[in-house]
Amino acid sequence: MSAAASCLLTEDQFLCSICLDVFTDPVSTPCGHNFCKTCITGHWDKNVHCQCPNCKEVFDSRPQLRVNTFISEMAAQFRQSAQQKVSSSSSEQQVSKPAEVPCDICTGTKLKALKSCLVCLESYCETHLERHLTVSRLKRHQLIDPVENLEDRMCPKHDKLLELFCKTDQVCVCMLCTISDHMTHDVVPLKEGYEGKKAELEVEVQQMIQKRRLKIEEIKHSVELSKEDADRETADGVQVFTALKESVERSQAELIDTIKEKQRKTEKQAEGFIKELEQEISELKKRSTEVEQLSQSEDHLHLLQSFTSLNAAPPTKDWTEVCIRPSSYEGTVRRAVNQLEETLSKQMKKLFEAELKRVQQSAVDLTLDPDTAHPYLILSDDGKQVKHGDVKKNLPDNPERFDTCVNVLAKQSFSSGRFYYEVQVKGKTEWDLGVVRESINRKGKIRLSPKNGYWTIWLRNENEYDANAGPPVRLSLKSRPEKVGVFVDYEEGLVSFYDVDAAALIYSFTGCCFTEKLYPYFGPSLNQAGKNSAPLIISPVNHTE
């Protein structure tokens, strides 16, 4: 057949209606329809009756099939022509790269797929896609942008296309699923489910973007606050050290001047003694000369008469007890250092006052938690005061309650940032204060230490202050605190205690590692027959600027 004649024939005429591919060993049935030999024999092997797949004519017995040589030759020419077309166009098409979906039909070099068919579950390059664009029965297939693992788009239970979305279970389903497991569920077409999810995701993404923008602003603000703190600390530090430097230089100059002045007085006194001695030496030399002259005379009478006049000369001074003692410098340096210490104390007090003002900006409002209070403790109605009573209350022994140590926690907990509160301890002879982690043991005897989750200080025997650092650290305080401030920086791992009225630091736990919620901790101790009956009082913080 000529090339012109073959061009008049369409692809549909060379396709087997069973495999939908170009004929391979085409055979004809008695009704005149053509199929691939393996396709028709396989079809009849699966069915009881021998029936034509096209016209549905039933044969009493399996007919003898003969190769249709005309169709076979035409199919061979068409296949060859198609292969040449694929070969010529493959150079123009892109070869599939590792990250791209390859054509499932290409043999040898796999070209880049342009579309995937959800009916055939195959992906096609430009050449192999042509049948889906030209063959009428293939045009009805659903084509999408190329995707891998098309089998994942099939329902694993019913082997049908996942074309619906169950909003109830939030899963993709097939048509058969809607009449079985998802019969009463809210099921919508896949596109509608996609649009809903897309809108939901867009809103969620926008919210996430907004949250992150707010977080960026929060971080920037934190950096600005940190810079302000750093600038303030730098200014305070420069001011303190400048004052100390000036004080040191002034004290040094005064010390040197004092020493020099004492040395000058010593030198002046020595000069006076030396001048007086030199004058006496001069007079004695003069008398010695006169005696020498008289001794050379043989006039004994004159000598004895002159000797009396020489003896009448002013007597010399008795220098036996006269001496120059080195100036005493004892205490001079010590007094200068004491002045520096006073200056340093004043500067330190200014620093602590400024520090206390800053931490007071992190003040929080606390109330005591009655569910944690030991049964002997008495809490005020407003939850701000606690003291030890004489009567044990009949309270449920819940896990949060202290059953042996007379302690109580605040209702509020903290797991980040900074917080500060003040407690009045005036009139008490014993007390415990600090913070504890949530998981502390509240039953039986308790050993206060950071290892056990307690960061506390206490007063015992009216004037014995300890930091319960494990082992305890004895604290030497200049004054007895009447109000104690407690400051915590969670991220910094810092717990500090202040004497509020004296604006002095009592003690700091540093380098702490907090991983749980922290609760403020209060221990009023036993009332000691009224001696320690004063309550611990959570006081409002006076924010001074």
Side-chain angles (χ1 to χ4, degrees):
M1 181 176 291
S2 66
S6 65
C7 290
L8 298 175
L9 300 175
T10 64
E11 182 180 3
D12 286 349
Q13 295 172 289
F14 301 102
L15 298 181
C16 171
S17 59
I18 296 177
C19 67
L20 301 179
D21 203 351
V22 179
F23 288 119
T24 302
D25 295 334
V27 294
S28 299
T29 59
C31 57
H33 293 108
N34 300 302
F35 305 95
C36 296
K37 184 176 181 180
T38 55
C39 291
I40 190 62
T41 54
H43 176 73
W44 283 343
D45 288 341
K46 296 178 182 178
N47 295 279
V48 178
H49 299 291
C50 293
Q51 185 182 44
C52 175
N54 285 357
C55 64
K56 309 303 181 183
E57 181 180 345
V58 178
F59 307 106
D60 295 334
S61 60
R62 181 175 294 195
Q64 185 177 3
L65 300 174
R66 295 182 181 276
V67 176
N68 189 324
T69 55
F70 174 76
I71 295 296
S72 179
E73 291 176 0
M74 293 298 295
Q77 291 183 16
F78 185 84
R79 186 179 289 107
Q80 182 179 4
S81 175
Q83 288 176 349
Q84 291 175 350
K85 184 176 181 182
V86 169
S87 177
S88 62
S89 62
S90 62
S91 60
E92 300 175 2
Q93 299 182 53
Q94 295 182 0
V95 176
S96 173
K97 298 177 181 179
E100 297 174 336
V101 178
C103 175
D104 292 324
I105 309 303
C106 288
T107 58
T109 302
K110 294 283 187 179
L111 298 181
K112 176 184 176 182
L114 296 183
K115 292 290 182 181
S116 294
C117 178
L118 295 180
V119 179
C120 302
L121 297 180
E122 289 181 327
S123 298
Y124 304 102
C125 64
E126 182 179 356
T127 300
H128 293 117
L129 180 64
E130 186 175 352
R131 289 172 52 202
H132 275 75
L133 302 177
T134 57
V135 178
S136 57
R137 58 178 170 274
L138 298 180
K139 288 181 180 180
R140 294 191 294 271
H141 291 190
Q142 185 177 353
L143 298 175
I144 61 172
D145 289 335
V147 293
E148 294 182 317
N149 303 323
L150 285 167
E151 61 273 9
D152 293 343
R153 296 175 176 270
M154 302 298 290
C155 175
K157 185 174 182 180
H158 302 109
D159 199 27
K160 297 291 183 181
L161 185 66
L162 297 171
E163 51 186 338
L164 300 170
F165 180 71
C166 176
K167 297 173 69 175
T168 305
D169 292 339
Q170 296 290 299
V171 294
C172 296
V173 298
C174 70
M175 289 297 296
L176 293 179
C177 290
T178 61
I179 57 176
S180 57
D181 300 337
H182 303 265
M183 181 181 295
T184 59
H185 294 181
D186 185 7
V187 179
V188 297
L190 206 60
K191 184 177 181 181
E192 183 178 336
Y194 158 77
E195 294 294 342
K197 277 292 180 184
K198 179 184 176 183
E200 182 181 323
L201 184 60
E202 287 176 348
V203 172
E204 183 179 348
V205 169
Q206 289 303 317
Q207 289 177 345
M208 292 172 68
I209 291 173
Q210 184 63 21
K211 285 182 180 179
R212 279 150 182 78
R213 284 175 175 168
L214 291 174
K215 181 57 70 175
I216 289 174
E217 293 302 317
E218 179 185 330
I219 292 173
K220 287 182 178 179
H221 182 62
S222 297
V223 171
E224 290 176 359
L225 292 179
S226 178
K227 186 178 184 305
E228 291 176 2
D229 289 344
D231 291 343
R232 183 172 55 249
E233 287 292 329
T234 300
D236 291 345
V238 169
Q239 181 180 0
V240 169
F241 280 97
T242 299
L244 288 176
K245 181 182 176 181
E246 292 174 351
S247 180
V248 168
E249 291 175 347
R250 184 169 57 252
S251 297
Q252 180 183 10
E254 291 174 355
L255 174 64
I256 293 172
D257 288 344
T258 300
I259 294 172
K260 285 182 176 180
E261 180 61 27
K262 285 188 175 183
Q263 180 62 19
R264 279 196 295 269
K265 289 181 178 179
T266 300
E267 291 176 354
K268 186 175 181 180
Q269 184 184 30
E271 288 175 359
F273 288 155
I274 291 171
K275 185 177 181 180
E276 189 174 349
L277 286 167
E278 286 177 345
Q279 288 177 350
E280 289 188 2
I281 289 171
S282 178
E283 290 294 328
L284 289 171
K285 283 182 177 181
K286 183 178 179 182
R287 186 179 298 184
S288 176
T289 301
E290 291 176 353
V291 170
E292 181 66 25
Q293 290 174 353
L294 288 173
S295 65
Q296 294 176 1
S297 173
E298 294 181 357
D299 187 351
H300 300 293
L301 177 62
H302 177 71
L303 173 62
L304 291 174
Q305 290 175 342
S306 297
F307 181 79
T308 303
S309 63
L310 286 174
N311 251 353
T316 57
K317 183 177 181 179
D318 184 6
W319 292 90
T320 305
E321 300 298 328
V322 176
C323 66
I324 296 294
R325 299 184 182 277
S327 297
S328 175
Y329 302 106
E330 295 297 329
T332 305
V333 176
R334 176 176 50 77
R335 286 190 294 273
V337 173
N338 285 341
Q339 290 178 354
L340 284 178
E341 187 177 1
E342 291 177 6
T343 303
L344 180 60
S345 296
K346 292 179 181 178
Q347 293 299 325
M348 289 295 293
K349 183 173 177 59
K350 290 181 180 179
L351 282 178
F352 283 132
E353 288 174 349
E355 181 179 324
L356 185 59
K357 289 179 181 178
R358 285 197 295 272
V359 301
Q360 284 176 333
Q361 305 309 309
S362 300
V364 293
D365 186 21
L366 299 181
T367 52
L368 301 171
D369 185 359
D371 291 336
T372 65
H374 186 279
Y376 268 104
L377 293 182
I378 300 174
L379 275 61
S380 61
D381 293 338
D382 62 359
K384 300 294 185 180
Q385 301 186 26
V386 58
K387 64 181 180 179
H388 181 263
D390 295 322
V391 180
K392 183 177 181 180
K393 301 184 186 68
N394 185 18
L395 300 173
D397 187 21
N398 48 290
E400 297 83 9
R401 190 180 307 283
F402 291 95
D403 66 351
T404 301
C405 299
V406 286
N407 303 325
V408 62
L409 302 182
K411 290 182 178 180
Q412 293 74 18
S413 64
F414 305 89
S415 56
S416 64
R418 303 173 179 179
F419 62 95
Y420 173 84
Y421 59 95
E422 294 178 353
V423 183
Q424 180 177 308
V425 296
K426 182 180 180 180
K428 296 194 65 62
T429 59
E430 291 189 359
W431 50 259
D432 302 4
L433 288 175
V435 294
V436 300
R437 64 182 178 220
E438 185 177 25
S439 64
I440 57 168
N441 175 36
R442 310 181 190 197
K443 307 299 181 184
K445 292 184 178 180
I446 296 171
R447 182 176 178 81
L448 301 182
S449 71
K451 181 180 179 181
N452 295 332
Y454 292 80
W455 291 268
T456 62
I457 63 172
W458 72 19
L459 167 65
R460 293 291 184 268
N461 302 321
E462 296 190 31
N463 57 8
E464 296 177 4
Y465 295 90
D466 287 339
N468 299 301
V473 176
R474 180 55 54 91
L475 304 176
S476 178
L477 306 184
K478 292 182 178 180
S479 60
R480 184 174 179 180
E482 294 188 350
K483 185 181 291 184
V484 175
V486 183
F487 172 71
V488 177
D489 188 327
Y490 195 97
E491 285 75 20
E492 192 69 21
L494 174 68
V495 181
S496 294
F497 299 85
Y498 295 89
D499 181 339
V500 176
D501 297 323
L505 178 67
I506 298 175
Y507 185 79
S508 286
F509 291 92
T510 59
C512 308
C513 182
F514 302 130
T515 57
E516 302 179 21
K517 292 179 180 178
L518 296 179
Y519 286 84
Y521 163 91
F522 306 84
S525 292
L526 304 179
N527 63 18
Q528 299 175 351
K531 188 177 180 181
N532 188 39
S533 60
L536 290 177
I537 303 174
I538 300 174
S539 306
V541 176
N542 180 21
H543 296 274
T544 54
E545 295 294 337

